[in-house]
Amino acid sequence: MSLESALRRALERNQFSLHYQPKVEMISGQISGVEALLRWDHPDLGMVPPMQFIPLAEETGLIVPIGRWVLKEACAQNMAWQRRGLRPVSMAVNLSPRQFADERLLHDVDDALAASGMSSVLLQLEVTESMVMRNVARAIRTLKAVQSRGIRLAIDDFGTGYSSMSLMKQFPIDTIKIDRSFVRDLPRDSEDQAIAQAIISMGKALGMTVIAEGVETTEQEAFLRNHFCDEMQGYLFSKPLPAPQLARLLKAPPTLMSPPLQPDAAPAKPASASRRKRAVV
């Protein structure tokens, strides 16, 4: 109850900020975009972990005004970088379930773009499989209305939900993000290898950009690159950074990724028979 009370006051007291994690093209090493991630700096508790306060914000409905602030702040920051002479990059913003279901979502998106002056083609909204599967018909209408504005759409945490190939065809999605749970044990785990390769193949077949989340080692990166994943995101390149530090990364020359693995470079370790994963392929 104390945390909820503090959360209600956090927005008006300017305790929220955004950090930005780069998305990097596998081949060129160039930053193609960033993902805006919410941070809460409480005056007494310090930095409150997102996994602690975001579910609370979702439960109480506070996530809708907070999400509205995130949209405006992220778009404004992208334009601030451009005014400093930095090249335009895609700005990804996560939508929560309540935000995606909110009747004012499209109005909030339009307001954020109008207030910042950012082109709609630079905005990417990320939704999860579970969100769009709650009400498929409504989700399709909402996603198509978003896409009609020129905004890109991504399915986050792909492979952990319950969508099917037939439904994926109906969603106007541009990008799928391979969940970090399937990246963690690459390239040693045969199950993760099979799932990652299948998601990449499906994404390519549907003309989507495929991004791997949670890339932390050169072995993971080399495996994904060898199997033609388009982009990566993770601590191997950069943790989420405050805007000034991210600006310095945008100024830096591209970092070339490691060369691809040979197809027979290393055999996969058999997966434990007790493991259970939900994969959508």
Side-chain angles (χ1 to χ4, degrees), residues 158-179:
F158 189 80
T160 62
Y162 299 95
S163 60
S164 66
M165 290 280 286
S166 60
L167 282 175
M168 284 302 299
K169 277 199 314 181
Q170 299 180 46
F171 294 133
I173 300 296
D174 306 291
T175 300
I176 52 177
K177 301 181 74 175
I178 305 174
D179 185 70

Side-chain angles (χ1 to χ4, degrees), residues 124 152-156 173-177 208-211:
Q124 183 175 75
R152 294 175 61 81
L153 291 161
I155 290 282
D156 198 7
I173 300 296
D174 306 291
T175 300
I176 52 177
K177 301 181 74 175
M208 299 175 181
T209 299
V210 183
I211 302 177

Side-chain angles (χ1 to χ4, degrees), residues 185-190 193 197 219-220 222-223 226-227 260-270:
D185 293 327
L186 288 176
R188 298 179 302 275
D189 187 291
S190 60
Q193 283 190 1
Q197 290 181 57
E219 292 80 12
Q220 293 167 345
F223 178 89
N226 197 52
H227 290 85
L261 291 172
Q262 297 302 315
D264 57 350
K269 181 183 73 174

